[in-house]
Each structure stands twice: as C-alpha cells, then as structure tokens.
C-alpha cells in the first residue's frame, strides 16, 4: 500500500503554542483517522473524520478534511509537554477493506515546557 | 472501548529461530485482523490481512513463507516469524476492526533478533 505524506516530519514548539500537522493521501477514502504514539509504545486513537465531514473537534484537537485535495490537518491547541509524541494519520478506504489502514509517515512533535 | 492484546510484548531470539506473536480481541469477535510492522523512527506498514477460516492476504513484498499467519478463531490471530534474522527486528502491531468505523490496536510486540 502506498503511504501518504505528512508534514512537517518534525515540529518543535513551546508549551501553550498551537501545533498543526498536515497529511495527504493518495486514494479515495471512507474515513481518515489520527493516532498518537509515544516512543516505543502502542497507538492511541485520537479522532476519526468521515469522508463526508469537513471538520471535527475533540477537546483540544481539531481535524479538517479536504477530499478534493486529498489532505487533512490536525491542530492541537494550547499544547502541553505531555503532547510530545509521534502523530500519524491513517486512511481507510472502507467497503470490503474496512479496518485496513494506510498510514502517513508521521510527525514527531516535541513540546518544550 | 474494546481491547486487543498481544503476547509477548517483548521477545529476544537468536538468528535462525522462529517466534510466534499472538493477537487477541478480548471482548469482541473479529473475522479479520491486520498485522503491521514498524521500524525505528518510521511509520506503520501493513504486512498482511488475517482472515478467519481462510488464507491470509499479504501485501506486496511481504514473504508469506517467512511470516506465517494463522487466524485460528474469531478472537485469535498469530504471526510466526520463521527463521528470524536481525533485519526482522522490528515492532509488530496487530489491529482488529470491531465495526466499519472502529478498530483497535494491540500494544505491540518488540522483536529483537540477535
């Protein structure tokens, strides 16, 4: 499967600042998901946005989806040092392939206290 | 939420030996499970789709004879890395979809081949 692109690959900010990560994908999707991974650990599901949605919020997270540009963004507002982690987008084609995800390359976020 | 477990969480083996990793959905049934591999500082790459009652479907470039997958029941899939070599050292993660919009990932297995 072809992976999507994420940018930036690494992002370093100060606590309290906002962090924006972008993701592009290559095929039609049913939904797009964002995950967080702390170093050497498993994945934590953050948010899912369906192909017919344009924006979704969850706490300090805001996700947008532009299916015409095949891109999505994740915004973390008022960042905290505990937000330091790798963030991945994952595209799902749905249909008979539901559950099968194509991951982006990821963004390593470092939030300095 | 639902829970998916993996066992072992960490394994060190010698080159040439085989290692079995188990993935279990603890509170739901999964006719399909997925196996991913993640090299250090890289993203997750899908290796194969595990299908209960039929053969696994492997992604291009993944050797089916090296990575044996058995979906023994509706709650258990196993990945066996046969004749492991140092280049097989990686983080292996499984996932199981509960619905068309919900899937749950196991905590991962760190394999180190010496």
């Amino acid at each position: 499967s072809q992976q999507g692109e994420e940018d930036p690959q690494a992002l370093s900010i100060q606590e309290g600042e906002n962090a924006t990560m972008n993701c592009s994908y290559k095929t039609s999707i049913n939904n797009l998901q964002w995950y967080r991974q702390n170093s050497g650990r498993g994945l934590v599901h953050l948010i899912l946005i369906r192909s017919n949605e344009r924006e979704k919020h969850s706490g300090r997270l805001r996700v947008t989806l532009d299916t015409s540009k095949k891109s999505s963004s994740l915004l973390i507002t008022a960042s905290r040092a505990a937000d330091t982690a790798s963030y991945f987008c994952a595209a799902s084609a749905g249909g008979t392939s539901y559950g099968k995800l194509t991951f982006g390359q990821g963004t390593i976020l470092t939030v300095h206290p | 939420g639902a829970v998916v477990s993996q066992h072992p969480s960490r394994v060190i083996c010698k080159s040439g030996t085989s290692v079995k990793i188990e993935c279990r959905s603890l509170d739901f049934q999964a006719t399909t499970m997925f196996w991913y591999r993640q090299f250090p500082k890289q993203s997750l790459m899908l290796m194969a789709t595990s299908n209960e009652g039929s053969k696994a479907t492997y992604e291009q470039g993944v050797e089916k004879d090296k990575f044996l997958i058995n979906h023994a029941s509706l709650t258990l899939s196993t990945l066996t890395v046969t004749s492991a070599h140092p280049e097989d050292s990686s983080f292996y993660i499984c996932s199981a979809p509960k619905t068309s919009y919900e899937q749950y990932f196991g905590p991962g297995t760190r394999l180190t081949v010496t």
Side-chain angles (χ1 to χ4, degrees), chain B residues 27-102:
Chain B
D27 53 357
F28 67 98
Q29 294 182 334
T31 56
T32 303
M33 293 184 177
F34 300 92
W35 287 96
Y36 296 84
R37 179 169 55 184
Q38 184 180 31
F39 290 110
K41 299 189 186 303
Q42 294 189 26
S43 186
L44 282 77
M45 290 289 291
L46 179 66
M47 298 175 66
T49 303
S50 174
N51 304 300
E52 192 271 337
S54 64
K55 291 182 180 179
T57 306
Y58 291 83
E59 295 298 303
Q60 192 173 7
V62 177
E63 299 175 58
K64 62 180 181 181
D65 293 331
K66 179 165 186 62
F67 299 100
L68 300 179
I69 290 173
N70 182 31
H71 202 130
S73 73
L74 289 171
T75 59
L76 173 64
S77 173
T78 59
L79 168 68
T80 301
V81 183
T82 63
S83 187
H85 290 284
E87 56 265 32
D88 298 323
S89 298
S90 188
F91 194 53
Y92 293 87
I93 307 176
C94 70
S95 75
K98 185 176 181 180
T99 69
S100 59
Y101 288 101
E102 299 174 275

Side-chain angles (χ1 to χ4, degrees), chain A residues 57-89:
Chain A
H57 295 80
S58 176
R60 294 186 294 115
L61 306 179
R62 172 178 169 254
V63 168
T64 64
L65 179 65
D66 186 336
T67 52
S68 66
K69 295 181 179 178
K70 290 187 165 59
S71 67
S72 174
S73 69
L74 171 68
L75 168 68
I76 303 174
T77 60
S79 64
R80 305 166 182 168
D83 294 329
T84 295
S86 293
Y87 292 82
F88 297 94
C89 67

